[in-house]
Amino acid sequence: MIVLKSDDEIKRMADACRIVAEVLEGIRERVVPGVTTKDLDGFAESYIRSKGARPAFKGYRGYPASVCTSINEQVVHGIPSSARIREGDIISLDIGVEYNGFYGDAAVTLPVGSIRKEAKKLLSVTERALESGMEKAVAGNRLSDISSAIQQCVESEGFSVVRNFVGHGIGRELHEEPQVPNFGRPGEGPELVPGMTLAIEPMVNAGNWEVLILNDGWTAVTKDRSLSAHYEHTVAITKNGLDILTK
Ligand code: CO
């Protein structure tokens, strides 16, 4: 069942989402060569708690940290550690917050110092794929219009979309119905209506779409070890158009 939110509930979600956006803003300047992913996690957790909010991922199915930090060929769910990020890396930062009974969830992939041309293209295509998906997130469209727009944007640039992980509904739970795949034919699935709140999150590989899970039980990596990027926003479909809550 898809749980629709009232305007008041969307306002409360926006409060959680604002904290997510602030963490992602504050973390940017900390993404420099030599920093450990644990340092980044520490910044995020203290910021979130200073706002009276809770890091939504910590303890979720046993996940041990507040942020997912996925470097280079890591797709999602990389666990913060004492590993240092290096010039030329790309790092995906995925953050979830619970505040006042509601959740927000967003991700970006950032360059560490200067990065190769191919990596730059991967980041811009993935960000653009999220934007093209969001453009279809309007009342009256069907859910898979979002999926299809993302897939087309990615594949027209020669990259591939990950199949094993998908976006999701979000609200009083981190993961609600419906699933929001980043692939599919247009015109299918439920009709989009005002009050739907979704986490749209393309995960894009420079090579093949296949992924493996490392022995830590969390970190997803590309099977061919090609680079991977991830952008995510929590959005609300309203009668006046799309509200990007984590912007
Ligand atoms: Co998500």
Side-chain angles (χ1 to χ4, degrees), residues 57 94 105-106 166-168 170 174-175 199-201 230 232 234:
F57 299 167
D94 188 355
D105 186 4
V166 294
H168 48 95
I170 180 169
L174 176 60
H175 295 136
I200 304 175
E201 48 178 322
H230 180 205
E232 175 177 25
T234 295

Side-chain angles (χ1 to χ4, degrees), residues 147-167:
S147 314
S148 157
I150 290 171
Q151 181 174 23
Q152 277 192 32
C153 176
V154 169
E155 292 182 353
S156 69
E157 297 289 349
F159 297 142
S160 61
V161 287
V162 171
R163 310 293 202 265
N164 312 51
F165 303 99
V166 294

Side-chain angles (χ1 to χ4, degrees), residues 31 37 69-75 85-93 108-116 118-123 126 204-206 226-231:
V31 174
T37 47
T69 53
S70 309
I71 301 169
N72 295 334
E73 76 283 359
Q74 298 177 355
V75 179
I85 54 177
R86 296 176 304 188
E87 177 97 21
D89 286 345
I90 58 171
I91 181 169
S92 300
L93 299 161
V108 292
T109 304
L110 299 175
V112 182
S114 66
I115 60 172
R116 294 175 50 198
E118 172 80 353
K120 268 188 197 154
K121 181 182 166 192
L122 179 67
L123 303 200
T126 309
V204 176
N205 296 349
S226 65
L227 293 178
S228 186
H230 180 205
Y231 281 77

Side-chain angles (χ1 to χ4, degrees), residues 36-83:
T36 70
T37 47
K38 248 195 163 61
D39 293 334
L40 299 174
D41 187 65
F43 161 74
E45 179 165 7
S46 356
Y47 187 89
I48 292 165
R49 294 201 191 280
S50 78
K51 297 291 173 183
R54 187 181 72 80
F57 299 167
K58 201 161 196 174
Y60 181 85
R61 297 184 183 213
Y63 187 74
S66 300
V67 184
C68 299
T69 53
S70 309
I71 301 169
N72 295 334
E73 76 283 359
Q74 298 177 355
V75 179
V76 286
H77 304 162
I79 300 174
S81 73
S82 55

